Amino acid sequence: MRWLPSLRLVLLIILGIALIGGITFVVGYVTTDIPPANAAAREQTTIVYYADGKTELGRFSDIDRESVKIGGISKPMQHAVVSAEDQSFYENRGISFKGIGRAVVGVVSGNYAGGGSTITQQYVKNFYLNDKHTFSRKIKEMFIALKIDQQQSKDAILAHYLNTIYLGRGNYGVETAAQDYFHEPASKLNVAQSAMLAAMVQRPGAADPADDPGEYKPRFNYVLDNMVEEGYISQAQRDKTKFPHVYKAKQHQSMYKGTKGYLLDYVRRELNSKAGISHDELRRGGYRIVTTFSQKAMKAADDAVSALPQYQPSGTTVGLTSINPKTGAVVAMYGGKDYLERQVNAATDDRVQAGSTFKAFTLVAALKSGVRLDDYYNGNSGIYVKGFPEGIHNDSGENYGEISVLDATAHSVNTVFAQINTQIGPQKTVDAAVKAGLPKKTAGLTANPANVLGTASPHNIDMASAYATFAANGVRHDPHVVSSVTSPNGNSIYKPDTSGKKVFQPALMSQTTHALESVIDEGTGTVAQGLDRPAAGKTGTTDSSKAAWFVGYTPQMATAVSMFRVGKHGAELPLEGFGNYSYIYGGSYPTIVWTDYMKKALAGEPVEQFPGLKALPDKTPPGGHQTKEYTPPPTSESDTEEPSEPSSPPTSESPTSPPTSESPTESESPTEQPTEPSKPPSPPATTHTTPSDDGGGTGQNDSDDSDGSSSDEGNEGGSGHDGGHGVKDLVNPPARPHDTAP
């Protein structure tokens, strides 16, 4: 006979289970405290300041939470959300055992998809806990909800809930949502508007109701039906209630309008990459961010660009970055006229072929290799150089005869720098560029003979950073736009490393700066003399007039200005003349913008001098020094496709003493440095082909680890950064309206 438990035993078992459950429940209730509100509930707007730490630049916040009391929320809104989310809200004690049961089964089975919670539980989850789908979180939520229900009134709970729910478009809380979607405060929401917002609670990000109202209409009808069932509206009201009109999303990113948008966007990106602060954290964290941007310098940049003639060919774009060489702080950045119209930053995102600005890197590499400023090379146009099978030409076919490296720098003589680059090796130009500050993965940065002419396509900010290394006497600092981040309670969250790294020796830097000063003193950048303080720099104009540059520096500030033209879908278009210039080249508007900006940005700052010219140690470059007596390479048309390198000079010895002043050491008269290079009579104009260097944006990456040493010893010098693109630099002062190779 099978044993059956007696009724008493069954009752005892049930009673025991109930007792254990009751004890467990009591213990759980007693030991569960109401925690502090979570970070999302305490969410605050992040404020961004200019470098002074006081003047507001902008704000990061998708929330703009405006908490309101229950009296500030219309009755239809209160009724709609109760009908949609918790019809027993006014009767229950904060929890729904039926809902908890469904949740427990879902968690255990792994099929929990949310739902089943009372409004009080949802408020607890949003305000005190998180969205993790775990059994422990659900139990804790239950106990806290029970305590909240006893401590707060139903109206208070409902108000808190409606102030914390997310309702799309970055709106946290019903007040901001009402203003965003309906241009009304929450106190004036009608039945239709309230039903739509209540319909969005479960899936706020499913769609924008202004663009796709159909996404929410089924749930909208469900809410209305429940409001009828609960007695909040009549069937007649329900029948005549239609889906409400919803306004299009505001540009609540209005803080991004104009040039400021580029600054704020770059701040966001830098904090994400360097400080690990996500965009969501930035929007909710209530941080206080002090940037490196000077309000004075930013106004100077805006004014300088705005001063350009109003009529400009469509797509004409200007980028500007200005850096403090002593710290790497970006004091000004001009990324475009309006971020809301073009979300591509001309200073940090656009890649622009560097052109003759790259000659500065070859100059640095050459000086380090033993070439000296008083070495002479053949400066005639149309000569053949190894690596240039079609010959190399100067702007407008200009012939300079024998010309010193110093004068060739001032006048941006292509033929001289092609010879130097071949002599020392193109890889050394790449190495110098990377050490100065160009990323190794800069598009087109490869060790080809034409890299001296600017076949690489760096970002504007990278060129400014590289030239800042020259201005800092060989110490490279990483460019940055954030100087500090603090939490709402004042704790330091992030500060950049501004210590810098020595990559070039002072002697090398002094020689580089001396040569780049000559660009402004007597060469292609004479417009910059208007700054009226010591300055060095380089112009550049790309092949086919795709871009024009000026990059220059004083001891206090390094600035790059690039001009280019963007067509549909980002197509690269040739620059077209406008204003006073029929042709845009580095020495024209880029140098004008640079000068106008620097004058205003440095106004009131002391005039600082560059360090004195320092001698470089004796060193013989590959192939020996080129002296004024050397025989130039042949220029006849009968040369082979790959002619040999220029013949060596009679002697390979270095000068008896390195140059220590502006005057080159020569054995011939004149003994003083000539104010202009000696030129033979210009031959009749001939048609020639400019070396193909307009492919700087090919996206090729340099994988050479040429930036390994922390400091270059002995005969290393500073690397120079010149702003220019392509192979066509001015060879006469920039008042000349043409700067192109035929």
Side-chain angles (χ1 to χ4, degrees):
M1 182 176 179
R2 189 174 60 178
W3 177 84
L4 294 175
S6 66
L7 179 60
R8 175 184 288 184
L9 180 61
V10 171
L11 292 174
L12 285 174
I13 292 174
I14 293 173
L15 182 61
I17 293 173
L19 183 62
I20 293 172
I23 293 173
T24 302
F25 184 88
V26 171
V27 171
Y29 181 84
V30 171
T31 58
T32 300
D33 296 323
I34 299 176
N38 61 35
R42 298 193 306 268
E43 189 172 333
Q44 298 182 46
T45 299
T46 292
I47 303 177
V48 185
Y49 299 97
Y50 282 101
D52 62 7
K54 299 177 181 179
T55 307
E56 186 174 319
L57 172 62
R59 297 185 174 212
F60 290 114
S61 175
D62 284 344
I63 299 171
D64 293 332
R65 185 198 308 275
E66 294 182 43
S67 295
V68 292
K69 295 182 179 180
I70 196 67
I73 303 172
S74 72
K75 285 294 183 180
M77 185 67 237
Q78 297 176 42
H79 296 157
V81 76
V82 168
S83 299
E85 297 299 314
D86 183 8
Q87 290 94 336
S88 67
F89 171 69
Y90 289 107
E91 291 78 36
N92 66 48
R93 306 316 302 165
I95 63 174
S96 166
F97 287 103
K98 181 179 179 181
I100 291 174
R102 289 201 307 270
V104 170
V105 172
V107 170
V108 172
S109 64
N111 294 319
Y112 178 58
S117 297
T118 64
I119 282 177
T120 307
Q121 287 176 276
Q122 292 182 55
Y123 160 55
V124 167
K125 179 190 70 174
N126 293 338
F127 198 75
Y128 297 106
L129 302 175
N130 53 53
D131 288 327
K132 291 182 179 178
H133 295 162
T134 62
F135 182 74
S136 60
R137 196 272 291 168
K138 198 68 181 178
I139 294 299
K140 183 180 289 187
E141 175 188 292
M142 177 185 70
F143 288 128
I144 295 173
L146 285 168
K147 289 190 173 184
I148 290 292
D149 187 74
Q150 291 191 12
Q151 294 178 10
Q152 299 180 20
S153 69
K154 290 292 185 181
D155 281 350
I157 292 171
L158 185 59
H160 288 317
Y161 171 71
L162 288 171
N163 282 323
T164 57
I165 55 175
Y166 179 62
L167 291 168
R169 289 188 186 172
N171 295 300
Y172 285 80
V174 68
E175 176 67 18
T176 53
Q179 294 180 16
D180 189 7
Y181 291 115
F182 307 118
H183 295 183
E184 296 279 5
S187 61
K188 293 186 178 181
L189 290 172
N190 60 31
V191 171
Q193 295 165 338
S194 299
M196 191 210 82
L197 291 178
M200 294 181 66
V201 172
Q202 287 193 356
R203 299 174 65 231
D208 188 321
D211 299 328
D212 186 11
E215 182 68 35
Y216 294 109
K217 282 186 177 180
R219 182 74 176 173
F220 171 79
N221 291 325
Y222 167 82
V223 174
L224 290 176
D225 291 340
N226 282 0
M227 291 180 75
V228 172
E229 185 177 329
E230 295 297 319
Y232 293 129
I233 61 174
S234 66
Q235 184 63 48
Q237 283 179 291
R238 190 262 179 265
D239 292 340
K240 69 180 183 181
T241 301
K242 306 299 181 184
F243 198 88
H245 168 73
V246 180
Y247 287 94
K248 291 285 187 180
K250 292 179 181 178
Q251 292 285 359
H252 66 89
Q253 304 131 314
S254 57
M255 64 176 183
Y256 285 105
K257 185 171 179 59
T259 58
K260 286 184 180 180
Y262 296 101
L263 310 186
L264 293 169
D265 178 66
Y266 200 74
V267 166
R268 177 186 63 79
R269 286 191 276 167
E270 180 168 291
L271 288 177
N272 181 254
S273 63
K274 294 185 178 181
I277 300 175
S278 70
H279 188 36
D280 284 342
E281 291 173 320
L282 202 57
R283 295 197 309 265
R284 301 179 179 185
Y287 299 112
R288 297 299 179 262
I289 301 170
V290 179
T291 69
T292 60
F293 298 121
S294 159
Q295 193 174 19
K296 171 186 172 184
M298 279 305 308
K299 186 177 186 305
D302 289 345
D303 289 349
V305 176
S306 297
L308 291 169
Q310 289 188 350
Y311 168 75
Q312 299 173 23
S314 62
T316 301
T317 305
V318 178
L320 181 150
T321 307
S322 191
I323 294 177
N324 181 341
K326 297 178 177 64
T327 63
V330 177
V331 298
M333 176 186 291
Y334 186 90
K337 294 179 181 179
D338 190 350
Y339 178 82
L340 295 181
E341 293 182 2
R342 184 176 189 258
Q343 288 82 52
V344 180
N345 191 325
T348 64
D349 298 333
D350 284 304
R351 294 185 177 93
V352 185
Q353 199 175 22
S356 289
T357 56
F358 234 71
K359 289 173 182 171
F361 302 127
T362 301
L363 176 66
V364 170
L367 292 171
K368 178 183 173 183
S369 298
V371 174
R372 296 295 175 257
L373 296 180
D374 58 352
D375 286 353
Y376 276 74
Y377 289 81
N378 181 3
N380 288 333
S381 186
I383 66 174
Y384 287 91
V385 178
K386 186 177 180 180
F388 297 86
E390 296 183 6
I392 183 72
H393 303 269
N394 296 323
D395 173 43
S396 300
E398 194 80 26
N399 290 297
Y400 291 90
E402 294 175 347
I403 184 173
S404 70
V405 174
L406 180 65
D407 286 339
T409 302
H411 297 280
S412 195
V413 182
N414 294 334
T415 53
V416 170
F417 275 90
Q419 293 172 71
I420 293 174
N421 200 37
T422 300
Q423 180 184 4
I424 64 172
Q427 183 60 50
K428 291 187 177 180
T429 292
V430 172
D431 295 345
V434 171
K435 282 190 174 182
L438 260 63
K440 294 178 182 178
K441 294 184 178 181
T442 297
L445 183 59
T446 58
N448 66 85
N451 65 14
V452 63
L453 303 177
T455 56
S457 296
H459 300 298
N460 179 285
I461 191 174
D462 296 332
M463 293 298 284
S465 176
Y467 274 77
T469 300
F470 305 153
N473 215 22
V475 178
R476 185 184 70 222
H477 298 84
D478 291 334
H480 60 277
V481 301
V482 175
S483 62
S484 69
V485 180
T486 55
S487 66
N489 58 11
N491 292 331
S492 178
I493 301 297
Y494 168 76
K495 283 189 175 182
D497 179 7
T498 61
S499 58
K501 178 181 181 181
K502 186 177 182 180
V503 293
F504 299 119
Q505 291 297 322
L508 179 55
M509 289 294 90
S510 71
Q511 295 277 334
T512 299
T513 294
H514 176 58
L516 295 178
E517 282 183 289
S518 71
V519 173
I520 295 174
D521 292 341
E522 60 180 273
T524 61
T526 55
V527 165
Q529 291 177 11
L531 181 59
D532 199 26
R533 62 171 67 210
K538 185 74 181 69
T539 57
T541 313
T542 62
D543 191 34
S544 302
S545 305
K546 295 292 179 65
W549 290 75
F550 187 78
V551 188
Y553 56 94
T554 68
Q556 300 117 303
M557 192 175 289
T559 302
V561 176
S562 53
M563 289 187 70
F564 50 97
R565 191 166 168 234
V566 180
K568 290 183 179 180
H569 309 297
E572 189 178 11
L573 301 177
L575 282 169
E576 294 180 359
F578 61 93
N580 296 326
Y581 294 90
S582 59
Y583 168 76
I584 307 303
Y585 51 93
S588 62
Y589 287 130
T591 309
I592 291 172
V593 170
W594 184 92
T595 306
D596 288 350
Y597 161 75
M598 294 287 280
K599 286 175 70 173
K600 292 183 178 180
L602 292 171
E605 299 295 325
V607 176
E608 293 187 16
Q609 304 293 324
F610 289 116
L613 189 63
K614 296 179 176 63
L616 290 168
D618 289 340
K619 184 175 183 178
T620 302
H625 288 285
Q626 304 293 339
T627 65
K628 199 165 185 178
E629 296 81 14
Y630 93 109
T631 302
T635 61
S636 67
E637 295 295 327
S638 60
D639 284 9
T640 61
E641 288 189 5
E642 189 93 309
S644 60
E645 297 187 47
S647 57
S648 301
T651 174
S652 62
E653 295 180 4
S654 57
T656 55
S657 62
T660 57
S661 65
E662 295 188 6
S663 302
T665 304
E666 299 182 22
S667 59
E668 298 182 3
S669 61
T671 58
E672 297 181 0
Q673 176 182 336
T675 57
E676 294 185 4
S678 173
K679 304 180 190 177
S682 298
T686 57
T687 301
H688 58 274
T689 303
T690 304
S692 177
D693 68 359
D694 58 345
T698 59
Q700 299 177 17
N701 295 331
D702 170 37
S703 60
D704 175 63
D705 187 14
S706 59
D707 197 30
S709 64
S710 61
S711 174
D712 292 327
E713 301 299 332
N715 52 7
E716 292 194 42
S719 70
H721 230 83
D722 266 332
H725 286 188
V727 300
K728 306 184 307 292
D729 267 19
L730 292 175
V731 293
N732 286 322
R736 194 177 103 184
H738 298 291
D739 181 23
T740 181

